[in-house]
Amino acid sequence: MNKSEEGRTVSGTQAVDRSLALLTLVGRGGANGISLASLVTQSGLGKPTVRRLLLALIRGGLIEQDDESRHYHLGAECYVLGTLATPRHGLLEIAADAVARLARDSGDTAFVTMRRGAGAVCLHRQEGAFPIRTHALTTGAQHPLGVGAGSLAMLAALPDDEVEAVLDDNAALLAAEYPGLTAEVLRHEVTATRARGFALNPGRVVPGSWGVGVALRRADGTVAGALSLAAIESRMQPPRDRELAAMLTREAEGIETRLARRLVRAKSEREAT
């Protein structure tokens, strides 16, 4: 490969990386979408570059622009790709009933969260009947792995070398937005979570809002996501924290069984075609 070809390869890879970063930012915009100005600010790219990459993503059907608001949204092709990925990653569809039961039986707020690289995204939030609620985590919210009960449960379920890789990836974000959650603190929390059998968030993200969480694994042992419950501090004290963790563990076992069955079924369907 000559220098000219190598330069084109680097340039092309950079364009792909930047496009994927913009696609992620658009996804985080949620139902309201995201403006061009916000994409420029959050990406750190120049306006002409953002426009050019967005046009390419629009041509591919991955992004759409609302005619009235001019905000950008995920496109139909993202839905198609998501549907194709459902046999392996269709966590919300499988876990929805379990989340509803957890909220009903505990009276607290239940969540299902999915791993997304070095972070976690809340797929669904279900309110319980207890009148005092916590608003620490909303549907679509994202945190670095280790921040929050479900997210911490996922981090603790990873091999040690992967834990260190995640902490390295998140170092700048943790320092900027979660200064109290240093790598040293999270390593200690990982150890405590493994020993305890479930993750406990004693109001580290939002004061007074506590949570318990357990990881969800695929059949191959990799981490798919987590179930968690959140409530005010007085409702998370022993022995209730362990009672809630037991509820989460029972539901997690059922979800993991269904994830394994779905993966086997999808594999059989592929081999049959």
Side-chain angles (χ1 to χ4, degrees), residues 39 146 151 161 202 210 227 229 255 261:
L39 286 170
S151 182
D161 58 343
W210 286 41
L227 291 177
L229 285 162
I255 291 170
R261 288 173 179 168

Side-chain angles (χ1 to χ4, degrees), residues 64-65 80 110 122 178 228 252 255:
E64 300 172 349
Q65 187 177 28
V80 173
C122 177
Y178 309 94
S228 58
I255 291 170

Side-chain angles (χ1 to χ4, degrees), residues 128-167:
F130 191 74
I132 303 176
R133 296 172 180 172
T134 174
H135 298 282
L137 188 62
T138 58
T139 301
Q142 300 186 53
H143 293 303
L145 283 181
V147 178
S151 182
L152 175 58
M154 284 188 274
L155 182 65
L158 299 177
D160 287 342
D161 58 343
E162 198 167 349
V163 170
E164 291 303 318
V166 167
L167 293 178

Side-chain angles (χ1 to χ4, degrees), residues 80-223:
V80 173
L81 293 173
T83 301
L84 294 174
T86 295
R88 179 170 177 83
H89 300 287
L91 188 56
L92 176 56
E93 180 183 2
I94 293 174
D97 289 346
V99 175
R101 282 192 298 271
L102 287 166
R104 181 197 65 202
D105 296 344
S106 69
D108 298 315
T109 307
F111 309 89
V112 58
T113 307
M114 179 179 176
R115 183 184 178 189
R116 195 175 192 179
V121 57
C122 177
L123 299 179
H124 183 58
R125 167 194 176 107
Q126 183 77 42
E127 300 284 2
F130 191 74
I132 303 176
R133 296 172 180 172
T134 174
H135 298 282
L137 188 62
T138 58
T139 301
Q142 300 186 53
H143 293 303
L145 283 181
V147 178
S151 182
L152 175 58
M154 284 188 274
L155 182 65
L158 299 177
D160 287 342
D161 58 343
E162 198 167 349
V163 170
E164 291 303 318
V166 167
L167 293 178
D168 286 343
D169 288 345
N170 288 335
L173 181 58
L174 289 170
E177 299 187 15
Y178 309 94
L181 290 173
T182 64
E184 183 179 357
V185 168
L186 289 178
R187 289 189 190 99
H188 172 78
E189 291 298 325
V190 164
T191 300
T193 296
R194 291 170 176 173
R196 190 189 301 115
F198 62 92
L200 177 66
N201 169 32
R204 288 188 181 274
V205 182
V206 176
S209 177
W210 286 41
V212 294
V214 299
L216 297 169
R217 296 179 182 272
R218 301 185 185 92
D220 61 4
T222 58
V223 175

Side-chain angles (χ1 to χ4, degrees), residues 232-243:
I232 58 174
E233 180 177 353
S234 62
R235 289 178 61 79
M236 286 287 172
Q237 300 304 305
R240 191 170 190 267
D241 58 347
R242 292 192 173 277
E243 293 170 358

